């Protein structure tokens, strides 16, 4: 059970980590057109999965609260997806990877700000290192790392909304994409009517890749869900770093993005922050696992 869960988890995060190799294949489609097709075909893909499972009974339990939370989640994840596609296709994969390295630190900040969770000293240290990293990278880029911050805050907010909604991943994605499919389809038709659409005008292979955006969105999500129910949270927490590591490697060694010494310094601070956060979490988990003696 655990071995299978680990295999599912690794597969999910590897697929997410390889996304920077997929989105450039969809050019000359722009980031917003790719996003619109991703929403449309994700709905088709997840609907096919739910139909195969004959899993529709959950729709009867959907209330206004679910629609509001998942509607907000849909808007936030659309911002995340669109920003990420833009980043990769404009040669900023490394900064996009930074966003997902920062994301665990954002989750800690949300825990303090929203749930009033007290931070342990080493968690404060991790947050401080992460803040220092953003400052160093702001000096390096000559601007705040907006793409990384947008991705981190958007994904952190998305996770927060999904926590409140408390729905399984496939069903949740179905609602989210259903909420966004009307504006997505409207934008696709608008581009087509104006003669600016890429879909269907660059060969069958390109059209198939745009349709495949739905598959590459739904499949890792299904794998992640299968992994999450089989693995402890500590193992899932360690796996989450696999995707941004792969993205970073692709950006530096395959796409040959510039990495001056000052940028390496900023990333090293982020990695030290994550090591500190992970070590503290594992230590706290071991303490809680030891039964108290009278």
């Amino acid at each position: 059970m655990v071995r299978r869960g680990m295999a599912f988890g690794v597969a999910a995060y590897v697929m997410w980590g390889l996304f920077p190799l997929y989105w450039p294949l969809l050019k000359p489609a722009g980031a917003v057109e790719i996003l619109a097709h991703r929403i449309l075909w994700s709905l088709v893909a997840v609907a096919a999965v739910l139909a195969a499972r004959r899993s529709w009974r959950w729709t009867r339990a959907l209330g206004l609260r679910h629609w509001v939370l998942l509607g907000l989640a849909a808007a936030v994840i659309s911002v995340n997806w669109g920003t990420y596609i833009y980043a990769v296709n404009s040669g900023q994969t490394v900064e996009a990877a930074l966003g997902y390295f920062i994301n665990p630190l954002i989750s800690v900040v949300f825990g303090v700000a929203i749930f009033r969770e007290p931070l342990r000293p080493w968690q404060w240290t991790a947050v401080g290192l992460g803040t220092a990293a953003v400052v160093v990278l702001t000096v390096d880029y000559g601007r705040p790392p907006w793409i990384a911050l947008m991705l981190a805050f958007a994904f952190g907010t998305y996770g927060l909304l999904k926590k409140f909604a408390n729905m399984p991943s496939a069903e949740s994605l179905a609602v989210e994409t259903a909420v966004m499919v009307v504006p997505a389809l409207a934008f696709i038709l608008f581009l087509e009517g104006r003669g600016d659409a890429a879909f269907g005008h660059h060969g069958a292979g390109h059209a198939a890749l745009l349709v495949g955006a739905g598959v590459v969105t739904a499949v890792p999500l299904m794998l992640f869900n299968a992994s999450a129910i089989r693995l402890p949270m500590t193992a899932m927490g360690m796996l989450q770093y696999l995707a941004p590591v792969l993205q970073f490697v692709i950006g530096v060694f395959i796409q040959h993005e510039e990495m001056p010494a000052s940028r390496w310094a900023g990333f090293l601070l982020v990695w030290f922050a994550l090591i500190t956060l992970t070590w503290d979490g594992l230590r706290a988990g071991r303490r809680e696992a030891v039964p108290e003696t009278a």
Side-chain angles (χ1 to χ4, degrees):
M1 179 115 170
V2 172
R3 185 178 297 177
R4 183 175 293 183
M6 184 63 71
F8 288 148
V10 169
Y13 280 106
V14 166
M15 289 185 72
W16 281 325
L18 295 178
F19 271 4
L21 298 178
Y22 190 84
W23 303 127
L25 300 176
L26 306 186
K27 293 178 179 180
V32 181
E33 183 178 3
I34 294 171
L35 172 63
H37 278 281
R38 187 178 185 185
I39 291 168
L40 172 63
W41 300 112
S42 292
L43 177 60
V44 173
V46 77
V49 170
L50 292 172
R53 288 174 11 192
R54 297 182 180 179
S55 176
W56 301 109
R57 194 172 299 175
W58 58 273
T59 56
R60 299 173 192 168
L62 281 177
L64 179 62
R65 179 175 176 275
H66 286 110
W67 281 106
V68 170
L69 288 171
L70 293 177
L72 290 171
V76 170
I77 199 61
S78 295
V79 171
N80 178 275
W81 286 357
T83 302
Y84 186 80
I85 293 166
Y86 165 77
V88 169
N89 284 3
S90 61
Q92 299 176 87
T93 299
V94 169
E95 190 176 342
L98 175 65
Y100 290 105
F101 281 126
I102 293 174
N103 183 66
L105 300 172
I106 298 298
S107 297
V108 170
V109 172
F110 280 178
V112 174
I114 297 172
F115 298 107
R116 306 296 180 188
E117 296 174 358
L119 288 189
R120 297 182 293 272
W122 284 110
Q123 289 177 309
W124 279 115
T125 302
V127 171
L129 287 168
T131 303
V134 171
V135 172
V136 169
L137 290 166
T138 295
V139 174
D140 170 70
Y141 283 114
R143 58 168 176 81
W146 293 118
I147 288 173
L149 293 172
M150 178 78 76
L151 289 171
F153 276 99
F155 198 73
T157 303
Y158 176 70
L160 193 65
L161 291 166
K162 293 287 287 280
K163 179 180 177 69
F164 287 136
N166 192 27
M167 281 185 65
S169 57
E171 289 81 352
S172 177
L173 183 63
V175 175
E176 292 160 32
T177 49
V179 167
M180 297 303 296
V181 76
V182 172
L185 187 57
F187 183 76
I188 291 169
L189 294 175
F190 168 74
L191 285 182
E192 188 64 44
R194 206 171 65 172
D196 293 333
F199 182 74
H201 300 282
H202 295 277
H206 182 264
L209 286 169
L210 276 170
V211 172
V215 176
V216 301
T217 298
V219 169
L221 191 66
M222 301 296 107
L223 290 168
F224 173 81
N225 187 56
S227 175
I229 61 178
R230 291 172 170 85
L231 288 181
M233 286 301 294
T234 51
M236 293 302 296
M238 296 298 290
L239 285 177
Q240 71 177 317
Y241 301 126
L242 183 57
V245 165
L246 286 172
Q247 293 163 11
F248 179 82
V249 168
I250 289 169
V252 174
F253 298 105
I254 296 178
Q255 297 173 342
H256 304 292
E257 293 185 22
E258 187 180 1
M259 280 295 292
S262 53
R263 200 163 300 171
W264 278 108
F267 271 86
L268 284 171
L269 282 170
V270 170
W271 294 333
F272 279 131
L274 293 176
I275 290 169
T276 301
L277 192 66
T278 303
W279 172 77
D280 180 73
L282 291 172
R283 191 178 64 139
R286 283 197 298 268
R287 277 205 310 264
E288 291 173 4
V290 175
E292 293 185 4
T293 57

